[in-house]
Amino acid sequence: MATGIYDQYREDMVGRANVADTAELVDFYRELEAQGAGALWTVANKIEPWQPVSESVPMIWRYDHLRDYVMRALELVTPEQAGRRVVYLANPGRRDVTAAVGWLYSGIQVMGPGEVASSHRHSASALRFIMEGQGAFTNVDGHKMTLGRNDFVLTPNGTWHEHGVAEDGTICTWQDGLDIPLMNALDANFYEVHPDLRQAVGFPVDDSVAAWGAAALKPAGETWSKRYSPLLKYEWAPTYEALVKYSKVSDGSPFDGIHMEYINPATGGSPMLTMGASMQLLRPGEHTKAHRETGSFVYQCAKGFGSSIIGGRRFDWKERDIFVVPSWMWHEHVNGSSSDDACLFSFHDLPVMRALGLYRCEALADGDGHQPVLPL
């Protein structure tokens, strides 16, 4: 009888499973398998690791490399055929769940002038970060918004939404971010197509920003009871202005530079229940210190150029490049310019981690807070 096939996760430490295979035990394990069961001690050390062990790997997708393929998709399929014309980002460690990192999905969507994708809704929460082009718009439960480069846009779970580009616009691209893998892992994902394929615009264009987009102000007498932010579009210009102003009165975070979170202006919390987002500014020549967090992050460079050291590997980035940081992996950022600032947009699953009491953060104590960079 073969032995040595069930004890590969044993550890020689008190309190951990440490059972060596014997012929009798192997027979027992196989009999359990025939009953649709197993012995916990054969997998306990695997399913309860000492610390998070992400299957995701740090990755970067360079926009200059992907753009030709994204534009080719524009020629190959229509929005009607594809539903959504998107080139998705595949992490080698998460191909089975179509994730960019952890339980987060990301893709680059492209639409041409006059095109409109059919209205739909789903259990997954979604966000957009606009990359290039003019004339893009989205309609969320009747709230139509015009979109510009580096705008951050919400399409919360359960809301009818559609995207398009005006007839007089140009080819537009944006990053889609969704928690589709998480919804599927929870067996909770639903998808519906609007019965009319298009939804009516029920409010003045950009009313969400006009009502809720003013800093430290909200409409008097207005109430908001939905689970997501009433502000559906966070514009780039005031976001960048806020970062610059903050940089003049604060040293910022040693790990993230001048770091600001997008919030629900009605509650002060995250814009959506399962995904949060941030924008950070790295001052000229700034090199942050390394830390790690329980949470997965998708970054997109909004301004400037630089590099990030993730798990000891250096990834160089510039505007529109997208990269990911897996959960509980050391990371630090470097602004590559000595004269201009750089800005990084990110979205993440920290609202889930915090709601479940799982969030942890740790600073790197060695090397004056900097990782040794592994050779390529």
Side-chain angles (χ1 to χ4, degrees):
M1 188 70 64
T3 61
I5 58 173
Y6 292 93
D7 61 1
Q8 58 183 309
Y9 302 113
R10 60 186 290 209
E11 296 179 19
D12 187 14
M13 182 171 289
V14 175
R16 299 289 277 182
N18 186 20
V19 180
D21 283 349
T22 64
E24 184 178 19
L25 278 171
V26 169
D27 286 343
F28 174 62
Y29 299 150
R30 289 176 175 170
E31 289 172 10
L32 282 177
E33 288 172 353
Q35 302 300 316
L40 173 61
W41 60 84
T42 65
V43 296
N45 297 339
K46 176 187 178 184
I47 67 175
E48 295 181 307
W50 290 99
Q51 61 185 26
V53 181
S54 179
E55 295 178 351
S56 305
V57 298
M59 287 276 295
I60 187 164
W61 293 269
R62 305 188 192 283
Y63 188 68
D64 287 352
H65 296 177
L66 275 179
R67 188 179 186 278
D68 286 347
Y69 297 98
V70 172
M71 294 302 164
R72 189 178 176 195
L74 189 71
E75 303 169 357
L76 293 174
V77 295
T78 67
E80 291 77 18
Q81 292 171 321
R84 287 160 291 178
R85 190 197 287 116
V86 179
V87 172
Y88 71 85
L89 308 183
N91 192 294
R94 304 295 286 158
R95 290 186 187 277
D96 57 329
V97 294
T98 316
V101 64
W103 298 103
L104 298 175
Y105 162 97
S106 176
I108 300 174
Q109 185 162 177
V110 60
M111 299 194 75
E115 291 186 332
V116 181
S118 59
S119 183
H120 59 280
R121 64 182 178 183
H122 38 66
S123 303
S125 296
L127 56 87
R128 324 287 163 192
F129 195 75
I130 313 307
M131 302 179 89
E132 68 170 292
Q134 291 81 44
F137 65 85
T138 193
N139 183 359
V140 180
D141 275 351
H143 297 271
K144 183 177 180 180
M145 292 159 280
T146 57
L147 309 179
R149 185 161 175 258
N150 287 349
D151 286 350
F152 165 53
V153 187
L154 306 182
T155 50
N157 74 315
T159 60
W160 292 111
H161 56 281
E162 61 191 64
H163 314 294
V165 177
E167 292 279 357
D168 60 352
T170 64
I171 294 173
C172 295
T173 63
W174 55 82
Q175 182 185 181
D176 291 330
L178 297 95
D179 59 2
I180 290 173
L182 177 62
M183 294 301 102
N184 288 337
L186 296 172
D187 293 333
N189 215 356
F190 292 87
Y191 188 99
E192 299 175 71
V193 176
H194 196 285
D196 299 325
L197 298 184
R198 297 286 301 276
Q199 60 173 310
V201 177
F203 304 88
V205 174
D206 287 325
D207 73 304
S208 167
V209 174
W212 293 93
L217 296 167
K218 71 175 185 178
E222 288 288 330
T223 59
W224 185 262
S225 59
K226 295 181 179 179
R227 300 186 304 272
Y228 54 84
S229 170
L231 179 60
L232 298 170
K233 179 179 68 169
Y234 300 74
E235 295 180 332
W236 165 242
T239 300
Y240 180 64
E241 180 183 11
L243 288 165
V244 171
K245 287 182 175 178
Y246 188 30
S247 72
K248 294 177 180 178
V249 298
S250 172
D251 292 333
S253 161
F255 311 113
D256 290 304
I258 300 300
H259 191 206
M260 304 190 85
E261 296 181 338
Y262 294 97
I263 65 164
N264 178 336
T267 65
S270 175
M272 296 184 289
L273 291 178
T274 55
M275 292 192 297
S278 301
M279 184 71 76
Q280 62 197 88
L281 180 149
L282 303 174
R283 287 156 292 203
E286 184 167 13
H287 185 166
T288 68
K289 293 192 174 185
H291 71 307
R292 58 185 179 180
E293 303 171 82
T294 48
S296 300
F297 294 81
V298 179
Y299 286 87
Q300 181 180 318
C301 178
K303 182 179 184 292
F305 66 96
S307 61
S308 294
I309 302 166
I310 309 168
R313 295 175 58 198
R314 172 175 166 167
F315 296 85
D316 294 328
W317 40 258
K318 62 181 185 301
E319 290 182 17
R320 302 186 183 96
D321 289 347
I322 297 169
F323 63 95
V324 296
V325 175
S327 182
W328 207 241
M329 187 167 288
W330 298 113
H331 58 284
E332 57 195 274
H333 308 294
V334 184
N335 182 351
S337 173
S338 60
S339 59
D340 199 5
D341 56 41
C343 292
L344 293 173
F345 166 81
S346 64
F347 73 91
H348 49 74
D349 54 8
L350 296 190
V352 174
M353 297 297 173
R354 288 172 175 146
L356 297 177
L358 299 175
Y359 180 74
R360 290 192 188 187
C361 179
E362 181 181 347
L364 182 63
D366 300 331
D368 194 30
H370 298 299
Q371 307 166 72
V373 180
L374 302 172
L376 296 176

